[in-house]
């Protein structure tokens, strides 16, 4: 049995996804799901991650037996999976998300069970009528126990109004992010809009980003972008520049076909496409690079980053552009606390490195990026 339980379901403290038992009824704000890496870091399950000590971010996911009411084609949590998999048993960004009683989680945080590893906590909302209020409840409880660990909100703009963003900030939220994911209106519509019987809209998501820029301010908001859903390198880097000019950060994900999703038969994003976008995003977010200075071919691929060669070489050699991008921790503003180990690839073909790259890793990245084909300014 995968759950650590007493006989009464009301005393369930922890549940690991199990395809062979009936999923217990668990509901936020009394319960929350957390990433496998976070569960290992908290000591809820045994395990190690390849070349990394798990994660510096406690990623939480609101949970309800009814599940997420959206139907995004690339997501393992999508509504269309109701007939095949109970919500708490569904995979999400390649891994299982165990469910823990919030009291148990907060007690472990108070007891320093993470041994000081968590530099940030993130509450991920889902499309559900109760998610807004329950996220506020979760945030307030967290601030009572661990106000020294800053909190990010991964929002659900579809159900939110401007006052919700204000209320979350006043309650202690440090960073507000929006999972835009698709970087053009057309891709957004065919992957998560009315076309696929999903409630999200491109305009509402950008409205939430604009609210976040106003309410949270520079460096305190961002957008999730998925690379490899049909956009060109030029299109995604143009959105990165727009976000940067608004004062925000870009949190990049490599598309990986999620098992059980409607896009499970798609190919992962090509390595060269992904590496060039990673580098371009880093230049824009942290190194003063500009989309307008970059050159692209007829297929929208980067030909020239418009950046001095020696400085570009130093940035590539640092390996930082190829690490997981997300909300920062306390050690280095250019390196994400939210390293999401192997959330978009397997350890045998790493797309987002959840650890600092060594010299050999950088050489692998160079070959994948086909850097020898790029042109540098004279």
């Amino acid at each position: 049995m995968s759950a650590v339980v007493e006989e009464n379901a009301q005393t369930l403290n922890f549940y690991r996804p199990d395809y062979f038992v009936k999923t217990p009824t668990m509901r936020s704000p009394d319960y929350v799901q957390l990433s496998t890496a976070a569960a290992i870091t908290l000591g809820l399950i045994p395990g190690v991650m390849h070349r990394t000590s798990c994660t510096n971010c406690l990623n939480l996911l609101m949970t309800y037996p009814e599940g997420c009411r959206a139907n995004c084609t690339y997501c393992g949590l999508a509504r269309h999976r109701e007939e095949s998999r109970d919500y708490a048993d569904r995979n999400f960004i390649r891994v299982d998300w165990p469910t823990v009683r919030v009291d148990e989680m907060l007690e472990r945080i108070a007891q320093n069970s993470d041994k000081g590893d968590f530099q940030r906590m993130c509450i991920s909302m889902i499309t559900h009528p109760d998610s807004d209020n329950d996220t506020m409840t979760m945030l307030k409880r967290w601030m009572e126990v661990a106000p020294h660990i800053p909190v990010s909100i991964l929002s659900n703009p579809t159900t939110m109004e401007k006052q919700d963003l204000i209320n979350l900030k006043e309650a202690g939220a440090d960073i507000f992010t929006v999972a835009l994911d698709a970087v053009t209106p057309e891709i957004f519509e065919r992957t998560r809009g009315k076309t696929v019987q999903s409630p999200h809209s491109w305009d509402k998501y950008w409205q939430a980003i604009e609210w976040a820029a106003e309410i949270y301010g520079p460096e305190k908001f961002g957008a999730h972008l998925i690379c490899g859903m049909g956009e060109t390198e030029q299109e995604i880097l143009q959105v990165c520049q727009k976000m940067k000019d608004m004062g925000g950060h870009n949190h990049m994900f490599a598309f990986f076909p999620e098992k059980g999703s409607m896009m499970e038969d798609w190919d992962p994003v090509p390595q060269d496409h992904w590496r060039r976008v990673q580098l371009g995003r880093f230049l824009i977010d942290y190194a003063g690079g500009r989309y307008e200075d970059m050159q692209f071919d007829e297929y929208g691929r980067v030909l020239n980053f418009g950046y001095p060669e020696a400085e570009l070489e130093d940035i590539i050699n640092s390996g930082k552009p190829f690490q997981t991008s997300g909300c920062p921790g306390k050690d280095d503003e250019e390196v994400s606390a939210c390293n999401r180990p192997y959330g978009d690839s397997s350890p045998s073909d790493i797309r987002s490195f959840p650890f600092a790259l060594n010299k050999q890793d950088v050489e692998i990245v160079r070959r994948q990026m086909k850097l020898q084909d790029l042109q540098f300014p004279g």
Side-chain angles (χ1 to χ4, degrees), residues 70-125:
N71 205 35
C72 303
T73 59
Y74 49 87
C75 182
L77 303 179
R79 191 181 69 244
H80 75 271
R81 295 193 72 187
E82 289 176 334
E83 294 182 1
S84 63
R85 186 69 52 81
D86 287 340
Y87 185 75
D89 288 329
R90 297 177 201 172
N91 49 289
F92 177 53
I93 59 171
R94 291 194 71 252
V95 299
D96 288 336
W97 285 65
T99 306
V100 65
R101 191 166 61 98
V102 169
D103 287 346
E104 172 75 11
M105 179 197 68
L106 293 176
E107 183 177 341
R108 285 175 178 260
I109 290 295
Q111 294 173 348
N112 198 36
S113 295
D114 66 311
K115 299 180 176 60
D117 284 343
F118 288 139
Q119 298 181 21
R120 180 166 292 278
M121 185 272 276
C122 178
I123 306 175
S124 295
M125 304 173 66

Side-chain angles (χ1 to χ4, degrees), residues 150-177:
V151 177
S152 295
I153 303 293
L154 179 54
S155 63
N156 174 40
T158 298
T159 62
M160 302 183 80
E161 298 300 332
K162 187 175 183 179
Q163 188 61 44
D164 295 317
L165 279 69
I166 295 171
N167 293 344
L168 287 165
K169 187 175 191 296
E170 290 177 347
D174 174 55
I175 290 178
F176 188 92
T177 62

Side-chain angles (χ1 to χ4, degrees), residues 39-83:
I40 292 173
T41 303
L42 262 187
L44 287 163
I45 58 176
V48 294
M49 292 281 180
H50 175 62
R51 290 181 63 183
T52 182
S53 57
C54 291
T55 182
N56 294 121
C57 183
L58 174 56
N59 296 103
L60 304 181
L61 183 67
M62 307 306 285
T63 188
Y64 306 91
E66 308 83 40
C68 184
R69 299 295 83 198
N71 205 35
C72 303
T73 59
Y74 49 87
C75 182
L77 303 179
R79 191 181 69 244
H80 75 271
R81 295 193 72 187
E82 289 176 334
E83 294 182 1

Side-chain angles (χ1 to χ4, degrees), residues 133-150:
N133 288 336
D134 292 341
T135 295
M136 178 62 76
T137 299
M138 181 69 248
L139 174 60
K140 289 178 177 178
R141 293 202 61 191
W142 179 267
M143 296 305 294
E144 292 172 355
V145 174
H148 60 288
I149 300 177

Side-chain angles (χ1 to χ4, degrees), residues 190-250:
R190 72 167 169 78
T191 59
R192 55 193 328 212
K194 292 180 181 178
T195 299
V196 290
Q197 298 181 320
S198 200
H200 303 317
S201 95
W202 172 264
D203 290 342
K204 184 62 185 287
Y205 269 60
W206 273 104
Q207 182 182 57
I209 293 171
E210 292 168 359
W211 286 340
E214 174 187 346
I215 295 164
Y216 287 77
E219 312 298 324
K220 293 296 184 179
F221 72 99
H224 288 197
L225 308 176
I226 298 178
C227 178
M229 296 205 297
E231 78 295 328
T232 66
E233 296 168 27
Q234 185 171 5
E235 286 171 331
I236 197 168
L237 290 174
Q238 187 175 24
V239 171
C240 287
Q241 188 65 64
K242 180 177 180 179
M243 281 296 303
K244 177 63 175 178
D245 289 346
M246 293 174 68
H249 280 157
N250 299 282

